[in-house]
Structure formats: C-alpha cells, structure tokens
Amino acid sequence: MKKILALLLAAAMMIAVFTSCSCFPFTPAPTQAAETTSATEEETAEATETTQKATQKVTSTDEFPTEGDDDNDDNDDTDDNEGYFVEPQGRWRVEVPEIWDEYGDIVVTKNGNSVKFVYQKAYEEYKAGHVFTICTTAASHKVDVTNYPHAEEIYLDKNIQIYVLYPTDVQYGGLDGSDMEKEAPEYNALYNTREDIIDSLEVI
C-alpha cells in the first residue's frame, strides 16, 4: 500500500513539473483554441439563423393552405376535423355548431363509451343540463334501447352499436327553478341543434 502511495505521489510531482513548463507536449496552442471557438460560434449563429427562418416559415399564416388550394391533400386529420367532435376512441365524429362554444360542453365518461352533450351552466352548477348522450358499445354487447325511457339506436354494424339517450325531465332553470326564464333561451339554442348533430354522425 505504501509503495502504491509513493508511486502516486511521484507521478503527481512529475505532472506538476511538466504542467508548469510551456513545453508540455499536451498543452494546446492558444491560437487553435481561439480559432475553434470562433468557428463554433459562427456555426451556432448560422444554425440559430436557420432555425429562426424555419420557425418563421411554419408559423406564418401566409404559408398555410387556404380552402380550395390544390396542396390540401397533405393536411393532417386535425384540419379535416375542424368543427367536428371526434369520439375519444376514434370510432365516429359529429359536426358541432358554433353555439356549443358559447353555451355547451361535451363531457366524455371515464370509460370513453358515453359522450354527453350538456348545457354548460347547469352542468357545472348542479350536474344537470343534459341535452343528449351518444353511447357506443361493441356489437357483441348490443343494448336493447327499448329498456330506456327515451332512446334510439342510430347505427349498428358487425363491430359497434351507437345509440342516443335523451333527457326525460327539465334540465335547466336552477335547483329551485328561479333561473328558468333566464336559462331557457340558452338551453333551447343547444337543444335545437340536437337533430343536426346526430344526423351528421359519421362512422370513421
């Protein structure tokens, strides 16, 4: 152990001697370091400028294709689904009118098989506001919609069944009915789009 320590101490002394000498063979020339740094800075600047130009090109609204352009074939599904709600598992989609951005909300259940279209104010305040619900199930577990008080099947194939549940009582107006007059126009504005939304359903 002492011999190892002695050898390490001797090596450390030798390194100290050589590093204090400007002739130590592994000392890099100052000019080379400066040139390398300068070249690296230039490359970094060029790369940054290229990145900035590429970012400007992507984010510029002038670069996006407009409706009717021949280049629209390369667009992704996000553009194709603008104005639509796509079921979480990607089995169907429906077109949703803009009025839903103002008064409505679309709530997906945890299992993803039920999508509730609700009047936002009533739903947030007391879990009411039900306009309609679209349910999706495997065809092998087909549901008898006649077991529900107000429901209808709107699609069935060998893979899936899609049916709609409708409310059976008043879904707005506040817990005590004091907001009935105020909320009726907003709820009805959503209710009046119900048929159009359901008719727009497209299995993907």
Side-chain angles (χ1 to χ4, degrees):
M1 185 70 178
K2 289 182 180 179
K3 287 182 180 179
I4 293 172
L5 288 174
L7 287 172
L8 289 173
L9 183 59
M13 290 176 65
M14 290 295 291
I15 290 171
V17 169
F18 283 119
T19 52
S20 64
C21 175
S22 60
C23 295
F24 189 69
F26 298 105
T27 303
T31 53
Q32 288 178 341
E35 287 173 5
T36 303
T37 303
S38 176
T40 304
E41 288 174 355
E42 287 176 10
E43 289 172 2
T44 303
E46 287 176 8
T48 303
E49 187 178 351
T50 304
T51 303
Q52 287 173 345
K53 285 179 180 177
T55 304
Q56 288 171 358
K57 184 175 181 181
V58 170
T59 57
S60 170
T61 54
D62 294 338
E63 295 297 326
F64 287 103
T66 56
E67 188 175 352
D69 284 353
D70 294 332
D71 295 333
N72 272 348
D73 294 339
D74 295 332
N75 286 352
D76 58 20
D77 291 339
T78 303
D79 295 330
D80 293 340
N81 289 322
E82 187 175 352
Y84 285 81
F85 170 81
V86 180
E87 189 251 0
Q89 296 183 42
R91 295 174 289 190
W92 54 262
R93 69 177 189 168
V94 290
E95 190 171 1
V96 181
E98 289 183 6
I99 190 73
W100 282 83
D101 293 334
E102 188 172 357
Y103 300 125
D105 201 1
I106 301 173
V107 181
V108 180
T109 56
K110 287 182 180 179
N111 64 14
N113 289 330
S114 297
V115 179
K116 298 175 72 172
F117 290 73
V118 299
Y119 170 43
Q120 186 179 48
K121 188 177 190 316
Y123 187 80
E124 287 180 352
E125 289 182 5
Y126 47 97
K127 296 302 176 193
H130 182 215
V131 180
F132 65 96
T133 298
I134 299 178
C135 303
T136 312
T137 187
S140 57
H141 295 89
K142 182 184 172 185
V143 171
D144 182 358
V145 296
T146 61
N147 291 329
Y148 292 99
H150 194 185
E152 68 171 329
E153 182 181 271
I154 59 173
Y155 182 83
L156 177 65
D157 65 17
K158 64 179 182 178
N159 297 314
I160 60 170
Q161 177 196 33
I162 303 173
Y163 59 97
V164 181
L165 302 177
Y166 301 103
T168 56
D169 57 1
V170 177
Q171 293 289 314
Y172 60 90
L175 286 172
D176 58 0
S178 59
D179 293 329
M180 190 73 68
E181 188 176 335
K182 177 184 175 184
E183 294 183 358
E186 297 174 352
Y187 178 88
N188 286 330
L190 300 174
Y191 182 91
N192 291 336
T193 67
R194 185 171 72 173
E195 192 173 321
D196 289 337
I197 294 172
I198 294 169
D199 287 346
S200 74
L201 186 138
E202 176 187 352
V203 175
I204 302 172

